[in-house]
Amino acid sequence: VGFDTPTDDPRFFEGIDVRPGHVAAGLPAPRTGLVAFASDALRSQHAVLLTGPSGVGKSTVMWSTAFAMRDVLWYEVTRLERGDEDDLWRLIAALKPTPSSPIGLVVDSVGNKDPGAWDALRDRLPADGSVMLLGSIRTEDLSVLATVANAVIVECKMDKAVARELFEGLQLQGRTSLQVWDDAYRESNGLTME
């Protein structure tokens, strides 16, 4: 995963999927509490699932967490089907991760992938922290994972600070007709994309 190339996307506040370049450009509203919690959990438990409804900012927190942990060599797993985990473990073995030079796998939308493959990856994580697993999943998809109890679950929610920053970004771009951020926060129903 490359955070070296910022993506200054004028469509960012339209509710697009957050990517590493958006985080590198500083576009997302900071979610410092969630990012700090997820980072600490990864370092101690090695597997974290960010959960919440669609549009709450799970991908933002996921990529922001990876960005905050740039001492980890992150790889994005875009396809995850049963059997893929063997190829991933071959790659990891070739990279020879250590606790002082760890590898991280980022899996966005785990519920849209093969849950058995996530479970197989989680089951094979070494206990020494040399490999970390970070994923996002909708709350309603958690039940399909057998290893959900073996990962730290971080619930992503909208808060007033994030709502205010999103509103100000939209306002600067002339993309909201609302006059005050409190109105936007109430109308968002706790989601960032709406």
Side-chain angles (χ1 to χ4, degrees), residues 9-17 170 173 175 192-194:
D9 191 337
R11 301 173 305 121
F12 181 76
F13 291 105
E14 293 175 11
I16 64 172
D17 289 337
L170 288 167
Q173 293 182 356
R175 295 186 180 194
T192 59
M193 287 177 40
E194 280 67 28

Side-chain angles (χ1 to χ4, degrees), residues 34-46:
L34 287 172
V35 169
F37 184 82
S39 299
D40 290 345
L42 275 168
R43 294 206 190 276
S44 64
Q45 301 298 313
H46 321 304

Side-chain angles (χ1 to χ4, degrees), residues 11 56 66 98 122:
R11 301 173 305 121
V56 78
T98 65
R122 174 60 196 101

Side-chain angles (χ1 to χ4, degrees), residues 66-86:
F67 184 75
M69 298 177 68
R70 289 188 304 280
D71 60 306
V72 177
L73 180 58
W74 291 103
Y75 286 86
E76 181 180 11
V77 179
T78 56
R79 186 188 93 163
L80 186 58
E81 297 175 10
R82 202 68 160 115
D84 289 341
E85 70 276 6
D86 292 331

Side-chain angles (χ1 to χ4, degrees), residues 92-111:
I92 290 167
L95 293 168
K96 299 179 180 163
T98 65
S100 61
S101 184
I103 298 291
L105 302 177
V106 179
V107 185
D108 202 3
S109 301
V110 171

Side-chain angles (χ1 to χ4, degrees), residues 112-185:
N112 293 338
K113 316 265 191 296
D114 183 337
W118 170 274
D119 291 333
L121 282 175
R122 174 60 196 101
D123 283 343
R124 289 174 65 179
L125 282 181
D128 66 0
S130 59
V131 181
M132 300 177 195
L133 190 56
L134 176 60
S136 70
I137 187 168
R138 295 178 309 166
T139 305
E140 60 267 26
D141 294 333
L142 277 172
S143 63
V144 302
L145 298 177
T147 60
V148 72
N150 298 327
V152 176
I153 306 301
V154 178
E155 187 176 354
C156 296
K157 294 181 180 179
M158 170 71 89
D159 61 33
K160 290 183 179 183
V162 171
R164 184 179 191 147
E165 187 159 333
L166 290 172
F167 173 78
E168 288 169 356
L170 288 167
Q171 197 173 42
L172 281 173
Q173 293 182 356
R175 295 186 180 194
T176 182
S177 59
L178 298 173
Q179 299 302 311
V180 292
W181 72 270
D182 291 43
D183 293 341
Y185 180 65

